[in-house]
Amino acid sequence: MSKGHGVGQVQSPGNGDSSVRLRVLSYNVHGQRDDVDALAEVVRSLEPDVVIVQEAPRRFRWRHKCAALADRLGLVVAAGGLPALGNLLLTSLRVQVYRTWCQQYPLTPGRHLRGGVFAECGIGTSRFVLAGSHLSTDPTERPGQAALFKQELAALRLPVVVGADLNENSGGGAWRTVADGLTDAAVVADAAERFTFSCVYPHNRIDALFVDPRIGVLDYDVVDTPQTRRASDHFPIRADLLLPAAL
């Protein structure tokens, strides 16, 4: 069991019995440079329906490497990899994927390429969009990248679930841009003091999970275990959500 706490939370108004539960994991896997067996153990034990991955394979033989990562975690690739510059969406077979697209932010010479990934998904009668991004460590780049990511999110009609490594703490300008109009799952669950980075010296909450206000947050945790401390330099975020019925 993780050392964090989960908190029951209100359901979206009018969901009724047709609402659907969704377990989401948002996880910066550090390019699989740590203990990959521990990484697989962590993800499989949490039994997510979807995983929003940062620092996934994005270079030579990236398709094969993304598929191998998904298989190791007991999931399938929905979207991402090189076209999303290391952002990746993985799903269980419970989730249907209807369409996917990727986003690349303008390159600043000498900096890393960054991007976003999106997938329109469904479980039963519920439809939603899964989205992920990993913003720059450079504070001069982040605001523009956040604005481009938010522009894509704002154009969506369906409820959105967003997992991102924002590379800044809550309250920063880029964080506020992405969070605008969305629910911060950690805040709703009274867990905003839980740090996500680094596993060696936890002192920052730079990883976020945001959801559309139409989505209920049933439970939230920053998963801190011996396995997660070996698996990556970031702790994974796990949340149980309640999706609204078909809109």
Side-chain angles (χ1 to χ4, degrees):
M1 297 296 290
S2 66
K3 294 190 289 186
H5 58 272
V7 179
Q9 199 46 269
V10 296
Q11 300 179 3
S12 299
N15 278 332
D17 294 336
S18 57
S19 301
V20 175
R21 292 179 69 114
L22 179 77
R23 173 162 290 185
V24 179
L25 203 63
S26 185
Y27 206 169
N28 184 321
V29 300
H30 199 208
Q32 299 178 78
R33 295 192 292 273
D34 302 295
D35 187 333
V36 293
D37 290 330
L39 176 65
E41 181 182 349
V42 166
V43 175
R44 285 179 175 270
S45 69
L46 293 172
E47 299 182 323
D49 295 304
V50 297
V51 182
I52 306 168
V53 181
Q54 300 89 42
E55 294 197 30
R58 52 178 287 180
R59 294 185 176 90
F60 179 67
R61 299 184 67 213
W62 64 271
R63 290 184 181 85
H64 170 77
K65 292 174 181 177
C66 287
L69 173 62
D71 183 65
R72 192 176 193 118
L73 303 183
L75 301 163
V76 297
V77 173
L82 175 61
L85 300 172
N87 295 284
L88 182 67
L89 302 178
L90 305 177
T91 69
S92 72
L93 296 180
R94 180 174 177 244
V95 179
Q96 290 184 284
V97 178
Y98 297 101
R99 70 182 182 103
T100 66
W101 66 102
C102 298
Q103 181 181 31
Q104 296 187 0
Y105 308 137
L107 172 64
T108 301
R111 301 290 183 184
H112 293 297
L113 285 162
R114 304 282 180 169
V117 63
F118 307 84
E120 182 179 328
C121 302
I123 300 180
T125 62
S126 294
R127 289 280 192 101
F128 62 99
V129 173
L130 198 63
S133 188
H134 184 188
L135 301 187
S136 176
T137 57
D138 182 353
T140 65
E141 282 190 310
R142 277 199 304 273
Q145 294 173 354
L148 290 171
F149 186 49
K150 187 63 176 184
Q151 183 178 21
E152 197 74 20
L153 295 173
L156 299 171
R157 182 186 64 84
L158 292 172
V160 64
V161 176
V162 182
D165 176 354
L166 299 173
N167 266 314
E168 69 179 28
N169 285 292
S170 60
W175 182 294
R176 293 196 305 271
T177 294
V178 177
D180 183 39
L182 299 174
T183 299
D184 185 334
V187 172
V188 170
D190 194 26
E193 79 287 356
R194 300 289 310 287
F195 298 130
T196 65
F197 180 82
S198 70
C199 290
V200 175
Y201 173 46
H203 63 290
N204 285 303
R205 185 167 79 97
I206 62 175
D207 304 278
L209 185 71
F210 303 117
V211 299
D212 187 285
R214 292 170 287 183
I215 296 175
V217 179
L218 302 176
D219 194 68
Y220 171 94
D221 193 15
V222 176
V223 186
D224 180 355
T225 67
Q227 289 78 17
T228 60
R229 287 176 177 259
R230 298 199 310 269
S232 176
D233 61 341
H234 290 246
F235 294 114
I237 294 172
R238 177 197 55 75
D240 289 328
L241 307 177
L242 193 68
L243 301 172
L247 300 175

